[in-house]
């Protein structure tokens, strides 16, 4: 029997930043080595970031990745940690090229004594949902099992674990002490419900300790939630890392003893108690995902600050609080852009929010900007309404041009689904925090965030009036959203089925909804695809986010059956 | 020996329009049957349109497709053509579901006497370039060979033909008279160079007559060019259909004789000479592709008319002529939107273009729209320049809102590549005709189109001055594009290598370009990904179009190597 200390380095890489990602790995190695760890495991593609998309077909990038891993191995050794084993994820050149162009593996390298001592290439390549791995990677072959100081350890990469055939079956047939799985597995609200049962099942199949290391951080529209965990073969959770932030957590893993060909590793001289974090309630998990998504989009892309319109409504209020939680209120610039149709209540709510939050606040009335357009072009009706929204978009972009702010666009998933927005107006912006959040959930989040503030002894940031009043675009007198849309609880229930679950109109009607309403909503969804194609990206929290996950034509026509 | 008349029905389906597509097939059947054809071949996915993207995972849509084919078979029979064989492409339900969700085949059905008498499912699924077929389809198994009135015929679907393993090898081992390949193969400028050598090679391998039927038409960012052809086993082109328009063309194909299980078909009683269209010169092919792309985007999406800004520059001039060629000048609305920086020459050129073309023409100066923004927000520099472009975008969208026009955005590939555009300004629009056309090619197209007009005895539509003057955004005094970009011949040569061929910076420098320039261009390309994500779609003409074909992260950071 032996006992080796493993470190789970739950890191937040930036795509393409091989040097920066390597330095983050090096820091985790130094820290955990000092605490006795001799096997340090980092996430899938920890060297390159994930997903790399078509960068995987750049031979230069593949070679930079390979050179980066070799440099890191040498640097780990020269810094005095060469006797540890470090597991990294990277892009490696494939010996054979796939028909169509893929020429890299999604690989894992085992670093020891300054060298790559073993590699494994991912075999199951997900090519559904948000994943395009059959497009960009060549699948690997074979399995990898190593004796790490007496802990006989098998290796897998992410999707490999989710399918029972291939590497899972092959490792299950071996006599293993541990299985290490490196992942870049994006968050969605149902992820935990499927992840932990899977880990439990696999730990039992392997009859081994399961070490699951996941990435953390926002990368464009994906948020990786961490949640790195260790389970024993009976499914007991021995370790669970924090979610939504980087962490390096340790655990001692028992092994059945050394073989003659094993890697020698020092056993720990002390005893540690691994962390087991509690599960997060759903709304808190969503909030943390949105905050991390905004923070990483802003910081990884070098934005010093964030600007957004504050209408007094619930969407902009929630976005402002997310932005403040993400980058600090002192970096958030709220702009009230009232028109003749803006109620005093809305203007007051916007100001109150900014005051409570402590963000910057500016008022830019739009009347004098809009009138010349209306007059010169003779605009009425929808064209006139849209000019108001577009003037606001121009103001925000002008402030961005002048000060370098990231512009947030505040539309929610219900609006994005049915195209309830003005193109080049309220859709203006680089990032859309609520793009995958239905309106009814926006309200839930607002209430949850206010309650959390109260619990912390802080003033609830979102004005009660912004939560309780009837939603309105305020583009004409006494307008409310429900003039042209069903009530949001009905709309969201229909959209949940039509969009998130891809149910047919008939199925949604069978579930109890009015046929005319369902047909109208379905037509609005289909007809606004062109708007979504030109919309900002935003963090995915569902299993059917607009964008990378739901790919439909703009030009499409449905017709009754031929008789 | 026998002889059967085949019809190649080069159709233009609309995605989702199962009834409309079926009626178009029925019309081609009626027409070619009357001319003696007894085997009528339609393109890949002729029932559903192509590409269907994630519609392929809708079980309702799959069943509509299947029901649509059965209805069509019955309708063909009830209309009196049941004794012919009709080949259609459609979406069929797969018995087994792929891990991750695909549940349909990309299939071919053989209709005869009111029934589906045979099917074949595509086996090689392209999942590179613009294709995502491993995402949406389940691959088929087996081959299909039928005796069609004594012509022993094998069947393939598109990508099947491009790979030498699997169905190609299996059919080559059979004793066949003909191989029918149904395709939805999108145009690019290099397509003919690879398509005809492949057809020649395969015809020899099969030692059979090769019948290649391709779709035609614009579908979002793809243009299908038709070019349906028949080659004999020695590679001689026996038939070649027109490109870029629908056609139903006939040819008699010899067979070695009937088997007992063959389908009985009437032989033709007359003799026909198949059409062999000439190849198109490159610029003509590109022009036709752009015209078809614009026409089909506008008409399939129900736009009655097109609006675009006419700056007097080359891009807007070429777009206006494309639009007029696509939908007729009487449906094109050109708007001159001069500022204080617009030269008299530019304003005159815009007016001259509109007059020559015969399109509608309106002048909307922007000074009084822009000044209030500049004054209220205190704008200078780039922010002030951008307001001019954004005011123009607002004018065009307002006209679209009032009159239902499709807005064209006129940026070319060189600009789109380096982000030389104002977001929500000159990027505004639903379709971007020149998105995949480098600036130097825009000039070539302008000269080609003017020469063509002269040849036809028409006045050249594009003012000579628009072609010859130095390009300028005219957003500040005496500004020209070359203030901030290298000359376009240099820029395009660099972009061709960096973007279209994915060459590394080092490789481009080795090809003779200045390193600092190449590095600056590469940084501009990487830094403007967010703009492209929010840009309009436009017709693909290259093998590396922005959008569906080139998928890269927005958030990406490249760094020097770790030392």
């Amino acid at each position: 029997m032996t006992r080796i200390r493993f470190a789970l380095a739950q890191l937040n890489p930036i795509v393409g930043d091989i040097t920066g990602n390597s330095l983050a790995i090096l820091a985790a190695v130094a820290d955990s080595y000092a605490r006795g760890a001799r096997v340090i495991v980092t996430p899938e593609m920890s060297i390159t970031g994930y997903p790399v998309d078509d960068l995987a077909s750049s031979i230069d990038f593949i070679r930079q990745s390979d050179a980066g891993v070799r440099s890191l191995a040498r640097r780990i050794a020269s810094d005095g940690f060469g006797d540890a084993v470090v597991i990294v994820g990277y892009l490696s050149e494939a010996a054979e090229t796939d028909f169509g162009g893929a020429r890299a593996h999604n690989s894992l390298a085992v670093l020891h004594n300054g060298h790559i001592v073993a590699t494994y290439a991912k075999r199951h390549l997900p090519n559904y949902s948000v994943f395009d791995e059959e497009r960009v990677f060549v699948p690997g072959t074979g399995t990898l099992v190593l004796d790490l100081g007496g802990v006989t350890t098998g290796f897998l990469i992410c999707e490999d674990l989710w399918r029972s055939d291939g590497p899972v079956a092959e490792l299950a047939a071996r006599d293993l002490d541990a299985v290490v799985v490196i992942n870049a597995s994006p968050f969605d609200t149902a992820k935990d419900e499927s992840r932990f049962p899977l880990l439990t099942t696999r730990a039992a199949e392997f009859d081994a300790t399961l070490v699951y290391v996941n990435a953390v951080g926002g990368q464009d529209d994906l948020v990786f939630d961490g949640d790195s965990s260790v389970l024993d073969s009976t499914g007991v959770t021995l370790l669970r890392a924090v979610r939504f932030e980087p962490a390096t957590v340790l655990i001692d893993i028992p092994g059945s003893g050394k073989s003659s060909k094993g890697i020698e590793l020092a056993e720990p001289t002390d005893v540690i108690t691994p962390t087991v974090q509690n599960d997060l309630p759903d709304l808190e998990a969503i909030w943390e995902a949105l905050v991390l998504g905004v923070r990483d989009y802003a910081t990884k892309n070098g934005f010093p600050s964030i600007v957004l319109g504050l209408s007094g409504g619930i969407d902009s209020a929630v976005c402002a609080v997310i932005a403040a939680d993400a980058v600090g209120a002192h970096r958030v610039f709220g702009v009230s852009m009232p028109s003749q149709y803006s109620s005093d209540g809305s203007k007051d709510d916007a100001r109150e929010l900014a005051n409570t939050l402590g963000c910057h606040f500016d008022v830019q009335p739009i009347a004098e900007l809009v009138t010349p357009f209306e007059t010169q072009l003779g605009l009425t009706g929808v064209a006139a309404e849209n000019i108001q929204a577009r003037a606001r978009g121009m103001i925000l972009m002008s402030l961005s041009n002048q000060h370098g702010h990231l512009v947030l666009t505040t539309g929610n998933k219900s609006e994005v689904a049915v195209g309830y927005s003005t193109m080049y107006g309220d859709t203006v912006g680089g990032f859309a925090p609520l793009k995958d959040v239905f309106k009814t959930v926006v309200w839930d989040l607002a209430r949850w965030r206010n309650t959390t503030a109260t619990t912390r002894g802080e003033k609830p940031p979102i004005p009660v009036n912004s939560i309780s009043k009837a939603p309105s675009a305020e583009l004409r007198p006494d307008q409310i959203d429900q003039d042209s849309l069903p009530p949001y609880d009905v709309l969201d229930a229909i959209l949940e089925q039509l969009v998130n679950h891809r149910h047919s109109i008939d199925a949604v009607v069978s579930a109890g909804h009015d046929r005319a309403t369902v047909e109208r909503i379905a037509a609005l969804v289909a007809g606004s695809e062109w708007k979504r194609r030109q919309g900002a990206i935003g963090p995915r929290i569902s299993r059917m986010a607009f964008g990378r996950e739901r790919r439909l034509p703009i030009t499409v026509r449905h017709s009754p059956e031929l008789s």
Side-chain angles (χ1 to χ4, degrees), chain A:
Chain A
M1 285 292 288
T2 183
R3 187 173 67 108
I4 298 296
R5 188 159 295 170
F6 280 55
L8 289 72
Q10 176 173 296
L11 300 174
N12 183 353
I14 297 178
V15 166
D17 188 11
I18 291 171
T19 305
N21 299 337
S22 297
L23 289 172
I25 295 170
L26 193 63
V29 169
D31 167 62
S32 54
Y33 187 98
R35 293 192 281 149
R38 287 301 177 270
V39 176
I40 298 106
V41 186
T42 71
E44 181 181 14
M45 299 285 265
S46 54
I47 292 285
T48 55
Y50 182 92
V52 294
D53 298 332
D54 288 356
L55 280 175
S57 60
S58 157
I59 193 67
D60 297 291
F61 189 66
I62 298 166
R63 289 178 181 162
Q64 283 168 25
S65 163
D66 193 68
V69 172
R70 289 171 202 284
S71 296
L72 177 62
R74 289 192 296 273
R75 179 70 179 269
I76 289 169
S78 67
D79 281 8
F81 316 118
D83 59 324
V85 160
V86 179
I87 313 295
V88 299
Y90 74 122
L91 199 62
S92 74
E93 194 168 346
E96 283 197 33
T97 296
D98 247 26
F99 189 94
R103 45 184 171 183
H105 295 300
N106 176 335
S107 287
L108 164 159
V110 181
L111 313 184
H112 185 58
N113 284 333
H115 298 285
I116 297 175
V117 296
T119 63
Y120 169 77
K122 190 175 188 176
R123 289 170 59 184
H124 284 308
L125 302 176
N127 203 67
Y128 54 86
S129 173
V130 298
F131 306 107
D132 287 292
E133 293 202 5
E134 289 182 13
R135 174 183 173 90
V136 299
F137 299 131
V138 179
T141 53
T143 52
L144 177 65
V145 173
L146 293 174
D147 171 358
L148 303 177
V151 182
T152 309
T153 306
F155 294 88
L156 295 171
I157 302 179
C158 208
E159 186 80 357
D160 288 335
L161 189 75
W162 292 79
R163 307 202 199 173
S164 53
D165 59 328
V168 160
E170 293 163 32
L171 289 186
R174 303 283 295 264
D175 187 15
L176 302 178
D177 298 318
V179 173
V180 165
V181 194
I182 66 171
N183 306 271
S185 183
F187 169 75
D188 64 63
T189 50
K191 200 54 165 274
D192 262 10
E193 291 162 28
S194 54
R195 188 187 281 161
F196 275 88
L198 177 81
L199 296 181
T200 302
T201 302
R202 292 290 183 251
E205 287 172 7
F206 295 138
D207 191 22
T209 306
L210 189 59
V211 179
Y212 179 92
V213 180
N214 193 18
V216 73
Q219 168 63 37
D220 286 350
D221 49 343
L222 300 182
V223 177
F224 301 94
D225 61 329
D227 214 358
S228 301
S229 303
V230 178
L231 284 78
D232 73 13
S233 61
T234 67
V236 172
T237 302
L238 304 176
L239 175 151
R240 188 172 180 187
V242 66
R243 294 175 80 181
F244 302 108
E245 51 186 88
T248 300
V249 289
L250 308 181
I251 186 169
D252 294 343
I253 294 184
S256 47
K258 292 167 201 166
S259 66
S260 57
K261 292 185 185 169
I263 295 174
E264 293 282 341
L265 294 173
E267 294 196 37
T269 54
D270 59 343
V271 174
I272 52 167
T273 306
T275 337
V276 182
Q277 293 282 340
N278 290 330
D279 206 359
L280 293 183
D282 282 353
L283 289 172
E284 183 172 355
I286 293 172
W287 188 271
E288 293 300 330
L290 301 179
V291 167
L292 182 56
V294 170
R295 179 189 299 133
D296 277 6
Y297 187 83
T299 57
K300 291 180 177 179
N301 286 295
F303 288 98
S305 49
I306 288 174
V307 69
L308 76 168
L310 297 183
S311 68
I314 186 71
D315 295 327
S316 61
V318 167
C319 282
V321 182
I322 290 170
D325 284 0
V327 300
H330 62 294
R331 295 181 191 273
V332 176
F333 293 76
V335 188
S336 168
M337 297 175 282
S339 76
Q340 54 178 316
Y341 308 120
S342 301
S343 64
D344 288 342
S346 291
K347 289 184 269 190
D348 293 345
D349 293 339
R351 184 180 298 276
E352 182 191 334
L353 169 79
N355 286 345
T356 310
L357 205 56
C359 71
H360 304 268
F361 186 68
D362 187 16
V363 180
Q364 292 289 351
I366 62 168
E368 291 180 22
L369 309 175
V370 164
T371 306
F373 280 91
E374 290 175 341
T375 308
Q376 180 169 327
L377 297 167
L379 301 182
T380 55
V382 170
E385 291 183 25
N386 283 342
I387 280 291
Q388 299 172 50
R390 290 186 179 124
R392 293 185 175 116
M394 286 174 76
I395 291 171
L396 295 177
M397 287 305 296
S398 295
L399 295 172
S400 171
N401 287 155
Q402 289 191 298
H403 306 292
H405 308 310
L406 167 65
V407 179
L408 294 186
T409 170
T410 63
N412 58 64
K413 186 170 189 172
S414 314
E415 293 174 352
V416 171
V418 297
Y420 195 75
S421 61
T422 299
M423 282 300 286
Y424 321 119
D426 49 313
T427 63
V428 156
F431 205 70
L434 303 180
K435 183 176 185 177
D436 200 29
V437 185
F438 284 124
K439 183 81 172 191
T440 45
V441 180
V442 176
W443 277 307
D444 292 340
L445 287 170
R447 284 185 285 258
W448 173 85
R449 183 62 181 75
N450 274 359
T451 304
T452 303
T454 305
T455 309
R456 291 183 196 152
E458 296 166 2
K459 184 175 174 196
I462 299 166
V464 172
N465 194 38
S466 294
I467 302 177
S468 59
K469 72 183 171 189
S472 169
E474 294 194 331
L475 294 173
R476 59 173 181 266
D478 301 322
Q479 180 184 33
I480 61 167
D481 292 7
Q482 258 60 90
D483 296 342
S484 40
L485 295 175
Y488 277 112
D489 55 343
V490 174
L491 177 64
D492 287 358
I494 292 172
L495 290 172
E496 176 84 29
Q497 295 180 58
L498 278 180
V499 173
N500 285 24
H501 298 292
R502 288 186 172 159
H503 288 169
S504 66
I505 290 174
D506 285 349
V508 181
V509 172
S510 301
H513 293 284
D514 172 59
R515 177 171 293 275
T517 304
V518 176
E519 285 179 350
R520 186 163 68 90
I521 300 304
L524 288 172
V525 172
S528 50
E529 183 59 30
W530 81 276
K531 290 188 172 186
R532 285 188 291 274
R533 288 287 189 93
Q534 295 191 28
I537 62 168
R540 168 183 181 261
I541 63 160
S542 77
R543 290 204 168 165
M544 191 52 75
F546 292 121
R548 191 196 294 267
E549 189 161 18
R550 181 182 181 275
R551 305 181 190 171
L552 288 173
I554 295 174
T555 302
V556 64
R557 193 180 294 172
H558 296 292
S559 53
E561 265 187 59
L562 191 69
S563 58

